[in-house]
Amino acid sequence: MKDRWDAIILGGGPGGSTLAASLARLGRRALVLERERFPRFHIGESLLPHSREVFARLGLDEKLDARFLRKYGARFLCSSTGRARTYSFADAFDPKFEFAYQVPRDEFDLLLLRHAAELGAEVRESWEAVEVVFDGPRAIGVRARPVARSGDVAAGERTAAGDVVELRAPVIVDATGRDTLLASRMRRKAQVAELDKTALFAHYEGAAREEGVHEGNIQVVIFEHGWFWFIPFRGVVTSVGAVVSSSWIRSRGKGETLDELFDRTVAQSSWAREFLANARRVRPVGALADFSYRIDQLTGDGWLFVGDAGGFVDPLFSTGAHLAIKGADLAATAIHRALDAGDTSRAAFVGYEADVRYAVDLFLGVVQGFYRGHFRETLFEENQRPTMRKLITTILAGDVFHPERRPQWASFLQQHYPPELPAFA
């Protein structure tokens, strides 16, 4: 009996939605199971220009431009020295995409998920994947259940909350983000060196931002215990977060609330104090600890990971959503070709895994170089060489996927900033 779907995608975030939309555009039948009901809050609100290559292909660029603030570059500021340096995406080696978007994720993720449905993907919100079904080493389906009573499914599948049903497809994709459903059950997961950090985050009204074309720039404020992000949205709200060391978290006083800890963190930086001097916090402070990790294997027989489910790099360069979106685009091509060939074994997905690992590791090496100090100094070099400036800008723009031809600058980066990868015993 023929499977009803070509692929079942677990998770409806940017990776899952992009994959579903891309598969639907290729004429494939995709089912998305999303545990939550959108919209919902999420961090990771700054996109990168090269994601727009995927958005354009999916017919999303105009929708995004109508709703979200354009981001033309990134500004880095050092609290201890007062130095500041702006990088404009137009100065990258490939300046085809001169801007990205700053996006409240509740609105952005909902837009992507609805767009996937418009293109023909089947989307089930408030559906929880309980486990992936295997026949030997091969994934063949999913056991899932509706979190609440669901009437938005096909006839014959109407179920009550908690009732588990088995759904079959030749390809199962884990796009569950940090939940890493499949990895938690069958793969090995390890923390990444130098990246045992914690993020504290909130939203503010009235935070200082740049003017004119630079209004949408992300501002990265470096201070003794870590760094802040300032991500302005269209209107008056700004996302503000601090990525801090484990030692700073251990300094949290007994009974000190997250709001109080965040205020004390802001007080450590002259730039952060200035940007928030006339601002009002409109969302309580949240926290996410030890959030950088790597999975030992991204693909297998009948299954693969997309986005954060396969690993997460520190958010310094706003990589999370970008890696998910671009990775999902590659995954769609790999799945489409595998189905055409009638071979969904791991061998069909090795190219996808290699391309994603390559992109992730370019980012990872530079992020680790930042925390070790030498890349951080390169960002602020007084007499910075034009080629180095272009290289940094190119990384900030997200130009890290090179499935056909790998540029010379990438080899330079790999040589000077090789990633330190976790060992899997």
Side-chain angles (χ1 to χ4, degrees):
M1 179 174 145
K2 186 176 180 181
D3 291 318
R4 183 170 155 198
W5 301 283
D6 295 310
I8 297 176
I9 302 162
L10 313 180
S17 293
T18 300
L19 176 57
S22 299
L23 285 173
R25 182 176 167 274
L26 291 168
R28 297 297 180 180
R29 299 158 301 148
L31 169 65
V32 179
L33 300 179
E34 168 53 49
R35 184 178 60 188
E36 299 186 53
R37 175 70 63 177
F38 283 18
R40 52 87 177 99
F41 175 80
H42 206 286
I43 58 172
E45 301 142 320
S46 192
L47 304 185
L48 300 186
H50 277 261
S51 288
R52 289 182 52 220
E53 182 179 10
V54 180
F55 298 152
R57 190 154 48 243
L58 294 178
L60 274 166
D61 231 6
E62 287 188 9
K63 288 183 179 181
L64 298 175
D65 208 42
R67 298 181 185 215
F68 303 119
L69 182 62
R70 288 185 177 187
K71 165 191 172 185
Y72 283 93
R75 184 186 184 207
F76 292 84
L77 306 101
C78 179
S79 298
S80 60
T81 66
R83 295 176 295 178
R85 179 63 61 91
T86 297
Y87 292 87
S88 297
F89 300 133
D91 296 330
F93 282 120
D94 179 4
K96 180 179 180 182
F97 302 100
E98 295 187 357
F99 63 87
Y101 298 103
Q102 308 287 32
V103 297
R105 284 287 300 276
D106 53 354
E107 185 179 352
F108 173 71
D109 289 12
L110 177 63
L111 186 153
L112 287 188
L113 193 61
R114 294 291 179 267
H115 190 74
E118 289 169 11
L119 290 178
E122 181 177 343
V123 174
R124 299 187 186 181
E125 294 179 77
S126 298
W127 270 75
E128 178 184 33
V130 177
E131 64 178 339
V132 175
V133 179
F134 285 88
D135 181 5
R138 177 177 294 277
I140 60 171
V142 178
R143 290 192 180 94
R145 62 189 172 203
V147 177
R149 179 170 292 276
S150 178
D152 55 2
V153 298
E157 288 186 16
R158 194 176 301 274
T159 54
D163 289 350
V164 176
V165 296
E166 188 169 303
L167 310 169
R168 296 275 182 123
V171 179
I172 309 300
V173 181
D174 186 345
T176 57
R178 285 175 51 83
D179 290 342
T180 60
L181 174 74
L182 196 53
S184 300
R185 308 287 167 85
M186 60 171 291
R187 303 309 321 162
R188 290 170 295 180
K189 183 176 178 180
Q191 287 190 318
V192 181
E194 310 286 339
L195 303 185
D196 55 335
K197 313 296 179 185
T198 295
L200 307 170
F201 47 86
H203 283 177
Y204 285 80
E205 286 185 355
R209 58 177 67 181
E210 296 189 270
E211 297 179 350
V213 72
H214 297 298
E215 180 190 0
N217 285 4
I218 185 173
Q219 302 202 71
V220 177
V221 175
I222 300 165
F223 73 116
E224 180 183 358
H225 305 289
W227 59 275
F228 290 91
W229 74 69
F230 288 80
I231 299 172
F233 301 140
R234 180 171 288 181
V236 298
V237 174
T238 297
S239 172
V240 182
V243 176
V244 297
S245 65
S246 54
S247 60
W248 180 250
I249 291 298
R250 287 195 296 270
S251 77
R252 183 179 180 183
K254 185 178 181 180
E256 186 177 29
T257 66
L258 281 179
D259 283 11
E260 291 167 340
L261 174 61
F262 193 78
D263 290 340
R264 185 161 61 86
T265 306
V266 169
Q268 304 300 306
S269 165
S270 56
W271 287 109
R273 291 197 306 271
E274 179 181 331
F275 290 168
L276 295 177
N278 299 310
R280 179 174 68 92
R281 188 157 55 224
V282 294
R283 184 178 185 86
V285 175
L288 197 56
D290 296 331
F291 58 157
S292 294
Y293 57 90
R294 190 178 181 95
I295 306 298
D296 67 334
Q297 187 177 313
L298 297 182
T299 63
D301 294 343
W303 61 265
L304 62 159
F305 291 111
V306 164
D308 291 356
F312 182 74
V313 179
D314 183 277
L316 176 65
F317 297 137
S318 306
T319 55
H322 179 65
L323 290 170
I325 291 162
K326 290 284 288 184
D329 183 55
L330 291 176
T333 300
I335 292 169
H336 181 60
R337 290 174 177 170
L339 292 169
D340 269 350
D343 176 15
T344 58
S345 68
R346 189 186 181 204
F349 304 128
V350 292
Y352 160 77
E353 180 163 356
D355 290 337
V356 171
R357 290 293 200 204
Y358 163 85
V360 169
D361 291 349
L362 283 180
F363 275 137
L364 179 58
V366 175
V367 169
Q368 289 173 327
F370 172 87
Y371 283 113
R372 290 170 183 147
H374 51 293
F375 186 78
R376 185 164 61 243
E377 286 306 308
T378 301
L379 286 170
F380 294 105
E381 266 183 343
E382 287 292 332
N383 300 310
Q384 194 178 69
R385 289 174 295 162
T387 301
M388 179 56 73
R389 183 174 183 81
K390 279 186 172 292
L391 190 154
I392 293 171
T393 305
T394 298
I395 285 291
L396 295 175
D399 185 4
V400 294
F401 286 88
H402 310 123
E404 296 177 0
R405 185 181 66 84
R406 296 182 177 180
Q408 188 174 353
W409 64 260
S411 299
F412 172 89
L413 205 66
Q414 289 171 318
Q415 179 182 350
H416 288 80
Y417 300 100
E420 182 180 343
L421 305 178
F424 293 96

Short mmCIF file of all heavy atoms in Angstrom, two decimals, residues 340-390:
data_model
loop_
_atom_site.label_atom_id
_atom_site.label_comp_id
_atom_site.label_asym_id
_atom_site.label_seq_id
_atom_site.Cartn_x
_atom_site.Cartn_y
_atom_site.Cartn_z
N ASP A 340 12.70 10.02 -6.09
CA ASP A 340 12.73 9.73 -7.53
C ASP A 340 13.52 8.45 -7.82
O ASP A 340 13.14 7.64 -8.67
CB ASP A 340 13.36 10.90 -8.30
CG ASP A 340 12.34 11.93 -8.74
OD1 ASP A 340 11.13 11.64 -8.62
OD2 ASP A 340 12.74 13.02 -9.19
N ALA A 341 14.64 8.28 -7.09
CA ALA A 341 15.51 7.13 -7.31
C ALA A 341 15.01 5.87 -6.60
O ALA A 341 15.52 4.77 -6.83
CB ALA A 341 16.92 7.46 -6.85
N GLY A 342 14.01 6.03 -5.73
CA GLY A 342 13.52 4.89 -4.95
C GLY A 342 14.51 4.40 -3.92
O GLY A 342 14.48 3.25 -3.49
N ASP A 343 15.39 5.31 -3.46
CA ASP A 343 16.42 4.96 -2.47
C ASP A 343 16.46 6.02 -1.39
O ASP A 343 16.99 7.11 -1.61
CB ASP A 343 17.78 4.84 -3.15
CG ASP A 343 18.92 4.58 -2.16
OD1 ASP A 343 18.62 4.20 -1.01
OD2 ASP A 343 20.09 4.79 -2.53
N THR A 344 15.90 5.73 -0.24
CA THR A 344 15.93 6.68 0.87
C THR A 344 16.85 6.19 1.98
O THR A 344 16.66 6.51 3.15
CB THR A 344 14.51 6.92 1.42
OG1 THR A 344 13.96 5.66 1.84
CG2 THR A 344 13.61 7.56 0.38
N SER A 345 17.86 5.42 1.61
CA SER A 345 18.87 5.00 2.58
C SER A 345 19.76 6.18 2.93
O SER A 345 19.72 7.23 2.29
CB SER A 345 19.72 3.87 2.00
OG SER A 345 20.52 4.36 0.93
N ARG A 346 20.60 6.00 3.93
CA ARG A 346 21.50 7.07 4.34
C ARG A 346 22.40 7.52 3.18
O ARG A 346 22.75 8.70 3.08
CB ARG A 346 22.37 6.62 5.52
CG ARG A 346 23.16 7.80 6.08
CD ARG A 346 24.15 7.43 7.16
NE ARG A 346 24.82 8.64 7.63
CZ ARG A 346 26.00 8.66 8.19
NH1 ARG A 346 26.68 7.53 8.37
NH2 ARG A 346 26.53 9.79 8.59
N ALA A 347 22.75 6.60 2.31
CA ALA A 347 23.63 6.94 1.17
C ALA A 347 23.03 8.05 0.32
O ALA A 347 23.78 8.84 -0.28
CB ALA A 347 23.88 5.69 0.32
N ALA A 348 21.71 8.14 0.28
CA ALA A 348 21.06 9.17 -0.53
C ALA A 348 21.19 10.56 0.08
O ALA A 348 20.99 11.57 -0.61
CB ALA A 348 19.58 8.83 -0.72
N PHE A 349 21.55 10.62 1.37
CA PHE A 349 21.57 11.90 2.07
C PHE A 349 22.97 12.35 2.50
O PHE A 349 23.11 13.34 3.21
CB PHE A 349 20.66 11.82 3.31
CG PHE A 349 19.25 11.42 3.00
CD1 PHE A 349 18.64 10.36 3.68
CD2 PHE A 349 18.51 12.06 2.02
CE1 PHE A 349 17.34 9.97 3.40
CE2 PHE A 349 17.21 11.69 1.73
CZ PHE A 349 16.62 10.64 2.42
N VAL A 350 24.01 11.61 2.08
CA VAL A 350 25.35 11.96 2.55
C VAL A 350 25.79 13.33 2.02
O VAL A 350 26.51 14.06 2.72
CB VAL A 350 26.39 10.88 2.16
CG1 VAL A 350 26.14 9.60 2.93
CG2 VAL A 350 26.39 10.63 0.66
N GLY A 351 25.37 13.68 0.81
CA GLY A 351 25.72 14.99 0.27
C GLY A 351 25.09 16.11 1.08
O GLY A 351 25.74 17.13 1.36
N TYR A 352 23.83 15.93 1.45
CA TYR A 352 23.15 16.91 2.30
C TYR A 352 23.89 17.08 3.62
O TYR A 352 24.15 18.20 4.07
CB TYR A 352 21.70 16.46 2.55
CG TYR A 352 21.07 17.09 3.76
CD1 TYR A 352 20.61 18.40 3.73
CD2 TYR A 352 20.95 16.38 4.97
CE1 TYR A 352 20.03 19.00 4.85
CE2 TYR A 352 20.38 16.96 6.09
CZ TYR A 352 19.92 18.27 6.03
OH TYR A 352 19.38 18.86 7.14
N GLU A 353 24.23 15.97 4.26
CA GLU A 353 24.92 16.04 5.56
C GLU A 353 26.26 16.76 5.42
O GLU A 353 26.60 17.60 6.25
CB GLU A 353 25.12 14.65 6.14
CG GLU A 353 25.83 14.66 7.48
CD GLU A 353 25.68 13.38 8.27
OE1 GLU A 353 24.96 12.46 7.82
OE2 GLU A 353 26.27 13.29 9.37
N ALA A 354 27.01 16.45 4.37
CA ALA A 354 28.32 17.09 4.17
C ALA A 354 28.18 18.60 3.96
O ALA A 354 28.96 19.39 4.51
CB ALA A 354 29.03 16.45 2.99
N ASP A 355 27.18 19.02 3.19
CA ASP A 355 26.99 20.45 2.92
C ASP A 355 26.59 21.21 4.18
O ASP A 355 27.04 22.34 4.42
CB ASP A 355 25.93 20.65 1.83
CG ASP A 355 26.41 20.20 0.46
OD1 ASP A 355 27.64 20.15 0.25
OD2 ASP A 355 25.56 19.89 -0.40
N VAL A 356 25.73 20.60 5.00
CA VAL A 356 25.31 21.26 6.24
C VAL A 356 26.47 21.32 7.23
O VAL A 356 26.70 22.35 7.87
CB VAL A 356 24.09 20.52 6.85
CG1 VAL A 356 23.79 21.06 8.25
CG2 VAL A 356 22.87 20.70 5.96
N ARG A 357 27.21 20.24 7.38
CA ARG A 357 28.36 20.23 8.30
C ARG A 357 29.37 21.30 7.89
O ARG A 357 29.93 22.00 8.74
CB ARG A 357 29.02 18.86 8.28
CG ARG A 357 28.25 17.75 8.92
CD ARG A 357 28.11 17.92 10.43
NE ARG A 357 27.80 16.66 11.09
CZ ARG A 357 27.20 16.56 12.26
NH1 ARG A 357 26.84 17.66 12.92
NH2 ARG A 357 26.97 15.38 12.80
N TYR A 358 29.63 21.41 6.60
CA TYR A 358 30.58 22.40 6.10
C TYR A 358 30.15 23.81 6.50
O TYR A 358 30.95 24.61 7.01
CB TYR A 358 30.68 22.27 4.58
CG TYR A 358 31.29 23.44 3.86
CD1 TYR A 358 32.67 23.56 3.72
CD2 TYR A 358 30.49 24.43 3.29
CE1 TYR A 358 33.24 24.64 3.04
CE2 TYR A 358 31.03 25.50 2.61
CZ TYR A 358 32.41 25.60 2.48
OH TYR A 358 32.95 26.67 1.81
N ALA A 359 28.87 24.13 6.29
CA ALA A 359 28.36 25.46 6.62
C ALA A 359 28.42 25.72 8.13
O ALA A 359 28.88 26.79 8.57
CB ALA A 359 26.93 25.61 6.12
N VAL A 360 27.97 24.76 8.91
CA VAL A 360 27.98 24.90 10.36
C VAL A 360 29.40 25.11 10.87
O VAL A 360 29.66 25.97 11.73
CB VAL A 360 27.36 23.66 11.04
CG1 VAL A 360 27.62 23.67 12.55
CG2 VAL A 360 25.86 23.61 10.77
N ASP A 361 30.35 24.36 10.32
CA ASP A 361 31.72 24.42 10.82
C ASP A 361 32.42 25.73 10.45
O ASP A 361 33.31 26.19 11.18
CB ASP A 361 32.52 23.21 10.33
CG ASP A 361 32.05 21.92 10.99
OD1 ASP A 361 31.27 22.00 11.96
OD2 ASP A 361 32.46 20.83 10.53
N LEU A 362 32.03 26.34 9.33
CA LEU A 362 32.57 27.67 9.03
C LEU A 362 32.15 28.66 10.12
O LEU A 362 32.96 29.44 10.62
CB LEU A 362 32.07 28.16 7.66
CG LEU A 362 32.73 27.58 6.42
CD1 LEU A 362 32.11 28.19 5.16
CD2 LEU A 362 34.24 27.84 6.41
N PHE A 363 30.88 28.64 10.46
CA PHE A 363 30.38 29.51 11.54
C PHE A 363 31.05 29.16 12.87
O PHE A 363 31.48 30.03 13.61
CB PHE A 363 28.87 29.35 11.70
CG PHE A 363 28.04 30.20 10.77
CD1 PHE A 363 26.94 29.67 10.14
CD2 PHE A 363 28.35 31.53 10.57
CE1 PHE A 363 26.14 30.45 9.31
CE2 PHE A 363 27.56 32.33 9.74
CZ PHE A 363 26.46 31.78 9.10
N LEU A 364 31.11 27.86 13.17
CA LEU A 364 31.60 27.42 14.48
C LEU A 364 33.03 27.85 14.73
O LEU A 364 33.37 28.32 15.82
CB LEU A 364 31.47 25.90 14.59
CG LEU A 364 31.96 25.27 15.89
CD1 LEU A 364 31.24 25.85 17.09
CD2 LEU A 364 31.81 23.75 15.84
N GLY A 365 33.90 27.71 13.73
CA GLY A 365 35.30 28.09 13.91
C GLY A 365 35.46 29.55 14.24
O GLY A 365 36.26 29.94 15.11
N VAL A 366 34.67 30.40 13.58
CA VAL A 366 34.75 31.84 13.83
C VAL A 366 34.16 32.19 15.19
O VAL A 366 34.70 33.03 15.92
CB VAL A 366 34.03 32.61 12.70
CG1 VAL A 366 33.99 34.10 13.00
CG2 VAL A 366 34.71 32.37 11.36
N VAL A 367 33.06 31.56 15.57
CA VAL A 367 32.45 31.81 16.87
C VAL A 367 33.41 31.42 18.00
O VAL A 367 33.59 32.17 18.98
CB VAL A 367 31.11 31.06 17.01
CG1 VAL A 367 30.61 31.10 18.45
CG2 VAL A 367 30.06 31.67 16.09
N GLN A 368 34.04 30.27 17.87
CA GLN A 368 35.02 29.87 18.88
C GLN A 368 36.20 30.83 18.90
O GLN A 368 36.74 31.16 19.97
CB GLN A 368 35.48 28.43 18.62
CG GLN A 368 34.41 27.40 18.94
CD GLN A 368 34.81 25.99 18.53
OE1 GLN A 368 35.51 25.79 17.54
NE2 GLN A 368 34.35 25.00 19.29
N GLY A 369 36.61 31.32 17.73
CA GLY A 369 37.68 32.32 17.66
C GLY A 369 37.31 33.61 18.36
O GLY A 369 38.15 34.27 18.97
N PHE A 370 36.02 33.96 18.29
CA PHE A 370 35.54 35.15 18.99
C PHE A 370 35.70 34.99 20.50
O PHE A 370 36.22 35.87 21.20
CB PHE A 370 34.08 35.40 18.63
CG PHE A 370 33.41 36.48 19.44
CD1 PHE A 370 33.48 37.80 19.04
CD2 PHE A 370 32.71 36.18 20.60
CE1 PHE A 370 32.87 38.81 19.79
CE2 PHE A 370 32.10 37.16 21.35
CZ PHE A 370 32.19 38.49 20.94
N TYR A 371 35.27 33.85 21.03
CA TYR A 371 35.34 33.66 22.48
C TYR A 371 36.78 33.50 22.96
O TYR A 371 37.08 33.82 24.12
CB TYR A 371 34.49 32.46 22.89
CG TYR A 371 33.01 32.79 22.90
CD1 TYR A 371 32.14 32.19 22.00
CD2 TYR A 371 32.49 33.71 23.80
CE1 TYR A 371 30.78 32.50 21.99
CE2 TYR A 371 31.13 34.03 23.80
CZ TYR A 371 30.29 33.42 22.89
OH TYR A 371 28.96 33.74 22.89
N ARG A 372 37.65 33.00 22.12
CA ARG A 372 39.06 32.90 22.51
C ARG A 372 39.77 34.24 22.42
O ARG A 372 40.85 34.41 22.97
CB ARG A 372 39.76 31.87 21.62
CG ARG A 372 39.32 30.45 21.91
CD ARG A 372 39.84 29.47 20.87
NE ARG A 372 39.34 28.12 21.14
CZ ARG A 372 39.07 27.23 20.20
NH1 ARG A 372 39.24 27.53 18.93
NH2 ARG A 372 38.62 26.04 20.53
N GLY A 373 39.17 35.19 21.71
CA GLY A 373 39.69 36.55 21.70
C GLY A 373 40.28 37.03 20.40
O GLY A 373 40.16 38.21 20.06
N HIS A 374 40.91 36.16 19.62
CA HIS A 374 41.63 36.66 18.45
C HIS A 374 40.69 37.14 17.35
O HIS A 374 40.96 38.16 16.71
CB HIS A 374 42.62 35.62 17.91
CG HIS A 374 42.08 34.25 17.68
ND1 HIS A 374 41.65 33.43 18.69
CD2 HIS A 374 41.92 33.54 16.54
CE1 HIS A 374 41.25 32.28 18.19
NE2 HIS A 374 41.40 32.32 16.88
N PHE A 375 39.56 36.47 17.13
CA PHE A 375 38.64 36.99 16.12
C PHE A 375 37.93 38.24 16.61
O PHE A 375 37.61 39.14 15.82
CB PHE A 375 37.62 35.93 15.72
CG PHE A 375 36.74 36.37 14.58
CD1 PHE A 375 37.21 36.35 13.27
CD2 PHE A 375 35.45 36.84 14.79
CE1 PHE A 375 36.42 36.77 12.21
CE2 PHE A 375 34.65 37.26 13.75
CZ PHE A 375 35.14 37.22 12.46
N ARG A 376 37.70 38.32 17.90
CA ARG A 376 37.07 39.52 18.46
C ARG A 376 37.93 40.75 18.18
O ARG A 376 37.41 41.82 17.82
CB ARG A 376 36.87 39.34 19.97
CG ARG A 376 36.10 40.49 20.62
CD ARG A 376 35.58 40.09 21.99
NE ARG A 376 36.64 39.75 22.92
CZ ARG A 376 36.80 38.54 23.47
NH1 ARG A 376 35.99 37.55 23.17
NH2 ARG A 376 37.77 38.32 24.33
N GLU A 377 39.22 40.61 18.32
CA GLU A 377 40.12 41.73 18.02
C GLU A 377 40.12 42.06 16.54
O GLU A 377 40.22 43.21 16.14
CB GLU A 377 41.54 41.42 18.51
CG GLU A 377 41.70 41.48 20.02
CD GLU A 377 41.22 42.82 20.58
OE1 GLU A 377 41.67 43.87 20.08
OE2 GLU A 377 40.38 42.81 21.50
N THR A 378 40.01 41.02 15.71
CA THR A 378 39.97 41.24 14.25
C THR A 378 38.78 42.10 13.86
O THR A 378 38.85 42.93 12.94
CB THR A 378 39.93 39.89 13.52
OG1 THR A 378 41.09 39.13 13.86
CG2 THR A 378 39.89 40.08 12.01
N LEU A 379 37.66 41.92 14.56
CA LEU A 379 36.46 42.72 14.27
C LEU A 379 36.72 44.22 14.39
O LEU A 379 36.14 45.02 13.65
CB LEU A 379 35.32 42.34 15.22
CG LEU A 379 34.61 41.01 15.00
CD1 LEU A 379 33.70 40.70 16.18
CD2 LEU A 379 33.80 41.07 13.71
N PHE A 380 37.58 44.59 15.35
CA PHE A 380 37.79 46.01 15.65
C PHE A 380 39.13 46.55 15.13
O PHE A 380 39.50 47.67 15.47
CB PHE A 380 37.73 46.23 17.17
CG PHE A 380 36.36 45.97 17.76
CD1 PHE A 380 36.11 44.83 18.50
CD2 PHE A 380 35.33 46.88 17.58
CE1 PHE A 380 34.87 44.59 19.06
CE2 PHE A 380 34.08 46.66 18.13
CZ PHE A 380 33.84 45.51 18.87
N GLU A 381 39.88 45.79 14.34
CA GLU A 381 41.19 46.22 13.86
C GLU A 381 41.14 47.61 13.25
O GLU A 381 40.29 47.90 12.40
CB GLU A 381 41.72 45.23 12.81
CG GLU A 381 42.60 44.16 13.38
CD GLU A 381 43.16 43.25 12.29
OE1 GLU A 381 42.61 43.27 11.17
OE2 GLU A 381 44.12 42.54 12.58
N GLU A 382 42.07 48.46 13.65
CA GLU A 382 42.11 49.83 13.15
C GLU A 382 42.43 49.87 11.66
O GLU A 382 41.79 50.57 10.89
CB GLU A 382 43.15 50.64 13.93
CG GLU A 382 42.71 50.98 15.36
CD GLU A 382 41.55 51.96 15.38
OE1 GLU A 382 41.42 52.76 14.43
OE2 GLU A 382 40.75 51.90 16.33
N ASN A 383 43.47 49.14 11.27
CA ASN A 383 43.90 49.14 9.87
C ASN A 383 43.52 47.81 9.21
O ASN A 383 44.36 47.13 8.64
CB ASN A 383 45.42 49.37 9.80
CG ASN A 383 45.82 50.70 10.41
OD1 ASN A 383 45.24 51.74 10.08
ND2 ASN A 383 46.80 50.68 11.31
N GLN A 384 42.26 47.51 9.27
CA GLN A 384 41.76 46.25 8.75
C GLN A 384 41.91 46.19 7.23
O GLN A 384 41.54 47.13 6.52
CB GLN A 384 40.29 46.11 9.13
CG GLN A 384 39.70 44.73 8.96
CD GLN A 384 38.26 44.71 9.42
OE1 GLN A 384 37.40 45.32 8.77
NE2 GLN A 384 37.98 44.05 10.54
N ARG A 385 42.44 45.11 6.74
CA ARG A 385 42.60 44.95 5.30
C ARG A 385 41.23 44.84 4.63
O ARG A 385 40.32 44.20 5.17
CB ARG A 385 43.43 43.71 4.99
CG ARG A 385 44.90 43.82 5.35
CD ARG A 385 45.59 42.48 5.14
NE ARG A 385 45.07 41.46 6.05
CZ ARG A 385 45.22 40.16 5.88
NH1 ARG A 385 45.87 39.69 4.83
NH2 ARG A 385 44.73 39.30 6.77
N PRO A 386 41.07 45.43 3.45
CA PRO A 386 39.77 45.35 2.75
C PRO A 386 39.30 43.92 2.53
O PRO A 386 38.11 43.63 2.64
CB PRO A 386 40.06 46.04 1.42
CG PRO A 386 41.18 46.99 1.71
CD PRO A 386 42.02 46.29 2.73
N THR A 387 40.23 43.00 2.25
CA THR A 387 39.84 41.61 2.03
C THR A 387 39.30 40.98 3.30
O THR A 387 38.32 40.23 3.27
CB THR A 387 41.04 40.79 1.52
OG1 THR A 387 41.51 41.38 0.31
CG2 THR A 387 40.63 39.35 1.25
N MET A 388 39.92 41.29 4.44
CA MET A 388 39.42 40.77 5.71
C MET A 388 38.05 41.34 6.03
O MET A 388 37.17 40.62 6.54
CB MET A 388 40.41 41.08 6.84
CG MET A 388 39.96 40.59 8.22
SD MET A 388 39.61 38.81 8.29
CE MET A 388 41.29 38.15 8.21
N ARG A 389 37.85 42.60 5.73
CA ARG A 389 36.54 43.21 5.97
C ARG A 389 35.46 42.52 5.11
O ARG A 389 34.37 42.25 5.59
CB ARG A 389 36.60 44.70 5.64
CG ARG A 389 35.30 45.44 5.94
CD ARG A 389 35.44 46.93 5.74
NE ARG A 389 34.20 47.61 6.09
CZ ARG A 389 33.84 47.92 7.34
NH1 ARG A 389 34.63 47.60 8.35
NH2 ARG A 389 32.70 48.53 7.58
N LYS A 390 35.79 42.23 3.87
CA LYS A 390 34.85 41.53 3.00
C LYS A 390 34.57 40.11 3.53
O LYS A 390 33.43 39.64 3.48
CB LYS A 390 35.40 41.45 1.57
CG LYS A 390 35.19 42.70 0.74
CD LYS A 390 35.63 42.49 -0.69
CE LYS A 390 35.24 43.67 -1.56
NZ LYS A 390 33.77 43.79 -1.73
#
